[in-house]
Amino acid sequence: MKKRIIPVLCLLLLNSITFAQQANEVSIIPKPASVEKGIGAFIISKHTNILAKGADAEKVASMFNYFLNKKYGFVLKINNTVTTNVIVLNTTLRIKLPYEAYQLKVTNHSINISGERSGVFYGVQSLLQLIHENGRQLSVPVVTIDDAPNFAYRGLMLDVGRHFFDIDEIKKILDVMASLKLNRFHWHLTDDQGWRLEIKKYPKLTSISAWRDSSIIGGYGDFKPFIYDGQRSGGFYTQDQAREVVKYAAERNIVVIPEIEMPGHSTAVLAAYPELGNGTGPYKVAGYGGVFYTIYNPGEPTFKFLEDVLTEVMAIFPSKYIHIGGDEVPKDEWKNSPFAQLVIKDNHLKNEEELQSWFISRIEKFLNKNGRNLIGWDEILEGGLSPNATVMSWRGEQGGIDAAKQGHDVIMSPGGYMYIDHAQAKDHTTEPLAIGGFLPLDVVYNYSPRPAALTPDQQKHILGVQANMWTEYIATDNKLEYMLFPRVAALAEVGWTKSENKDYKNFSENRLPIFLKNLERSGVNYRIPEADVVINNDAQTGRKTIAITPFIADSKIYYTVDGHKADNTANLYTSPILIPYTNGRPLTLKYIIVTAGNRVSNEFIVDIK
Ligand code: ACM
């Protein structure tokens, strides 16, 4: 009997040790400012109650239940009279915490989250990431977390002009953004390839500008002349749908910043209202990406149109900021237009750059008069910056540096670090079609948005950071999510976590695998990162071996070393691979990773030297 019991006991003991270790793990993205671990755990059961204390606490409690239900399929009762087995959401602190800051205190008996509404919401997001599932039990390690963001503006831009994404997909992304404590959704609503927002006064924007007859297949440089798919495509959001997104985002502490492009990237508008162009029509909603010469004329009807549009936009979007684009505006049409030249002369402007600046300043005055602030891409610096404009620096950091030196606020989104439409591997042949460039996870992660070229006072103008997702080559939800994740998780840590607390190894090896598993569970696609491939010397045989460690621990690896394709018919990796006798020939390892949830990676190719 004894002999039998001992192994069972050992197993139980081992199990409980592993459980205790797991239950003690704190894995939160973005990494909090301060974490003090304790001993033990709080068990969340169906009998646990939420006590909502103070203004808006019940709203946050409902959001907690929304996320809990989505992940675990149940909700907790809100009961403001209980004192034990309780999760307290408290917005009534006498000494107020700063906006978005929170304290999260987990003991064996209760969980307390305090701050103002935004802070308690983020405390809840941290709590959701702390929950460990063990069989049917949910446990939360005893811990005290004090946390606050490094930057006020932590944004993600989505271009829906090039490809339209429906509001269910937008909401899916907003949910992940909220879990990562990102707080600005920059919605790029208009471009040469499509206008996406219902404007009641200008119905042709949605009957004509929202649709294109045909789109190129492949990349811009793949076929010359272009090859077209011959398929009509497009779409738009009704004002009600846009309001629904604004509300959905606000419940998740996310402000939606709409972008209405001007004076360039406006071909789709000119297709419907050619009188707003420079007489160079006829115009067509564009079926390919790039920089277009077709821009607005600087006449009164154009300003009337734009002010009408912005009036409807402001009625939908309560955001303090309205983005007006301003990027990539070739001035050729204005150079060749007697009318534009007259506007330059009448307003005592030097050139077309000053005309653009004059154009943007007029729009800024209109926005300011309506209590809003203007954001534009860094080209709005050329010809002189409008007095109160905020600059989004995308052509590197210089625009942002110049603007901050002039006392303007800045959001950093430089192409080399924050353009997550770029490919995620150097070898583009292993990736889906992307716009070009190579932007791996670690480069996003290690970006610091406060340039050393600025003094501490000037650095205060850096409001934060944003990653941009342009969608010329992204037509499906699956691909959009593949391009977003995991790089948006790295963005979150750039925006939230102080530099001294950032650590790529800890992020990528310890916390990211858990985040990716959770994404998988929520039905969100992501790019499975490459495994760690190491060549070792096998002491016994004196031969070399290849060790492959996948990122997500319980994944499978299938591989070949004979140059042939790796798929799930290839060798299953179980232990380091003995390198074959190659007689000096080059050797290529090919492998795929298949997660426990049956997600399949790209085929990765490694030259073994
Ligand atoms: C941009 O990428 N044209 C802002």
Side-chain angles (χ1 to χ4, degrees):
M1 281 300 275
K2 257 188 181 166
K3 267 184 192 160
R4 268 193 180 165
I5 287 171
I6 288 169
V8 173
L9 267 181
C10 278
L11 215 67
L12 278 176
L13 208 63
L14 263 175
N15 257 343
S16 64
I17 289 168
T18 341
F19 173 56
Q21 277 172 348
Q22 274 176 3
N24 203 22
E25 237 174 68
V26 171
S27 170
I28 297 173
I29 296 178
K31 193 171 187 172
S34 152
V35 175
E36 269 181 54
K37 282 205 249 176
I39 296 167
F42 177 86
I43 306 299
I44 298 180
S45 72
K46 296 200 169 108
H47 305 295
T48 303
N49 287 291
I50 304 174
L51 196 165
K53 215 168 142 186
D56 291 329
E58 287 210 9
K59 286 183 186 150
V60 182
S62 320
M63 289 316 298
F64 179 38
N65 269 334
Y66 166 85
F67 283 98
L68 203 61
N69 191 37
K70 194 171 152 184
K71 191 158 174 201
Y72 301 107
F74 71 95
V75 295
L76 298 177
K77 273 208 199 71
I78 301 173
N79 180 339
N80 290 345
T81 58
V82 289
T83 50
T84 56
N85 193 7
V86 69
I87 298 173
V88 184
L89 306 182
N90 183 1
T91 61
T92 66
L93 283 194
R94 253 182 301 140
I95 301 168
K96 290 235 178 308
L97 293 177
Y99 182 68
E100 296 181 325
Y102 66 92
Q103 189 184 58
L104 165 60
K105 200 168 168 46
V106 182
T107 70
N108 291 294
H109 310 291
S110 67
I111 296 179
N112 266 275
I113 303 176
S114 35
E116 63 151 283
R117 177 186 176 165
S118 57
V120 175
F121 178 78
Y122 284 151
V124 160
Q125 292 305 331
S126 290
L127 169 59
L128 286 157
Q129 291 192 44
L130 283 174
I131 295 174
H132 295 274
E133 202 174 14
N134 196 273
R136 298 173 67 114
Q137 195 172 58
L138 300 185
S139 71
V140 184
V142 169
V143 69
T144 300
I145 295 177
D146 281 289
D147 201 6
N150 195 18
F151 289 98
Y153 186 116
R154 305 177 301 280
L156 174 65
M157 186 220 73
L158 178 65
D159 162 22
V160 294
R162 274 55 178 266
H163 280 102
F164 178 74
F165 295 90
D166 66 22
I167 63 166
D168 288 342
E169 181 61 14
I170 304 290
K171 288 177 177 175
K172 192 174 174 189
I173 292 164
L174 289 170
D175 274 6
V176 188
M177 284 178 68
S179 79
L180 289 168
K181 303 186 177 79
L182 293 168
N183 65 1
R184 296 289 184 278
F185 177 62
H186 168 179
W187 210 0
H188 182 84
L189 287 163
T190 74
D191 220 303
D192 301 294
Q193 297 75 13
W195 178 283
R196 304 294 176 219
L197 182 65
E198 176 189 27
I199 299 293
K200 308 249 189 217
K201 219 170 186 169
Y202 297 94
K204 284 194 282 183
L205 288 174
T206 39
S207 64
I208 294 175
S209 309
W211 307 95
R212 55 180 184 253
D213 291 344
S214 206
S215 310
I216 59 164
I217 64 164
Y220 190 87
D222 285 351
F223 305 100
K224 286 282 164 68
F226 293 145
I227 297 175
Y228 284 88
D229 64 5
Q231 288 191 49
R232 182 174 153 86
S233 67
F236 64 91
Y237 309 102
T238 64
Q239 294 200 352
D240 283 347
Q241 285 178 320
R243 283 199 173 88
E244 190 181 326
V245 168
V246 167
K247 178 169 177 284
Y248 191 90
E251 288 166 349
R252 287 154 182 76
N253 200 46
I254 297 170
V255 176
V256 183
I257 299 175
E259 179 180 353
I260 303 295
E261 277 268 22
M262 64 189 77
H265 286 290
S266 301
T267 313
V269 176
L270 301 184
Y273 299 98
E275 63 276 19
L276 304 180
N278 291 282
T280 52
Y283 306 100
K284 253 181 89 166
V285 181
Y288 60 94
V291 175
F292 287 72
Y293 287 88
T294 40
I295 68 174
Y296 290 128
N297 71 55
E300 290 312 310
T302 301
F303 289 107
K304 164 101 176 58
F305 167 80
L306 290 171
E307 291 181 6
D308 286 345
V309 165
L310 290 172
T311 300
E312 293 193 32
V313 166
M314 287 185 289
I316 302 166
F317 297 95
S319 161
K320 187 177 94 171
Y321 285 118
I322 305 290
H323 201 304
I324 54 76
D327 59 318
E328 297 180 322
V329 186
K331 307 295 187 305
D332 306 61
E333 289 197 341
W334 286 350
K335 281 199 176 93
N336 297 325
S337 152
F339 174 73
Q341 292 303 316
L342 202 62
V343 176
I344 290 180
K345 194 157 157 267
D346 286 354
N347 291 282
H348 314 292
L349 306 170
K350 277 211 224 40
N351 51 32
E352 293 73 24
E353 274 66 41
E354 287 200 359
L355 178 57
Q356 161 146 342
S357 174
W358 175 86
F359 191 115
I360 302 292
S361 292
R362 266 192 74 154
I363 296 295
E364 173 171 65
K365 272 200 206 94
F366 176 76
L367 290 176
N368 289 170
K369 201 173 73 193
N370 285 280
R372 308 300 178 98
N373 290 357
L374 177 147
I375 303 187
W377 299 109
D378 58 54
E379 284 93 331
I380 66 168
L381 280 148
E382 292 162 9
L385 203 46
S386 310
N388 307 310
T390 294
V391 170
M392 201 166 259
S393 192
W394 73 280
R395 296 175 303 173
E397 290 189 311
Q398 196 55 48
I401 292 170
D402 293 345
K405 284 186 174 167
Q406 294 176 35
H408 287 256
D409 286 342
V410 169
I411 292 135
M412 282 295 187
S413 58
Y417 301 91
M418 287 291 137
Y419 267 46
I420 53 175
D421 54 336
H422 294 183
Q424 298 180 75
K426 213 179 239 164
D427 178 0
H428 287 202
T429 63
T430 65
E431 288 292 311
L433 171 63
I435 198 157
F438 167 47
L439 182 56
L441 187 62
D442 62 316
V443 174
V444 178
Y445 184 89
N446 287 318
Y447 178 60
S448 167
R450 286 195 183 97
L454 296 176
T455 65
D457 257 4
Q458 291 166 340
Q459 285 188 353
K460 289 188 189 133
H461 286 294
I462 310 291
L463 303 183
V465 63
Q466 177 172 292
N468 296 331
M469 182 58 83
W470 301 102
T471 61
E472 285 93 334
Y473 300 118
I474 302 174
T476 65
D477 295 350
N478 228 20
K479 184 163 179 185
L480 175 61
E481 293 163 19
Y482 176 96
M483 297 300 280
L484 286 169
F485 306 111
R487 289 181 292 191
V488 167
L491 162 73
E493 204 137 320
V494 175
W496 183 274
T497 306
K498 289 209 163 28
S499 310
E500 59 268 29
N501 288 334
K502 278 172 69 189
D503 173 354
Y504 182 67
K505 196 170 151 64
N506 173 274
F507 165 78
S508 60
E509 292 179 11
N510 299 13
R511 291 175 290 128
L512 191 62
I514 296 165
F515 172 77
L516 293 179
K517 277 200 134 176
N518 282 327
L519 275 189
E520 192 157 328
R521 182 175 175 149
S522 341
V524 178
N525 195 26
Y526 63 92
R527 179 181 186 272
I528 298 174
E530 289 83 351
D532 200 22
V533 176
V534 180
I535 313 293
N536 292 314
N537 284 314
D538 185 47
Q540 270 186 347
T541 57
R543 285 173 61 186
K544 286 191 170 163
T545 62
I546 309 169
I548 314 177
T549 314
F551 215 79
I552 303 170
D554 48 6
S555 313
K556 287 189 187 130
I557 290 174
Y558 296 94
Y559 72 94
T560 68
V561 287
D562 59 8
H564 287 279
K565 179 179 164 66
D567 57 20
N568 66 2
T569 67
N571 304 300
L572 177 64
Y573 179 87
T574 52
S575 59
I577 308 158
L578 266 184
I579 294 189
Y581 298 109
T582 61
N583 295 325
R585 289 190 191 89
L587 188 75
T588 303
L589 167 73
K590 295 187 177 180
Y591 67 92
I592 58 166
I593 302 169
V594 181
T595 69
N598 267 327
R599 295 274 179 93
V600 183
S601 75
N602 298 330
E603 184 184 56
F604 298 115
I605 302 171
V606 186
D607 290 328
I608 302 294
K609 301 222 170 67

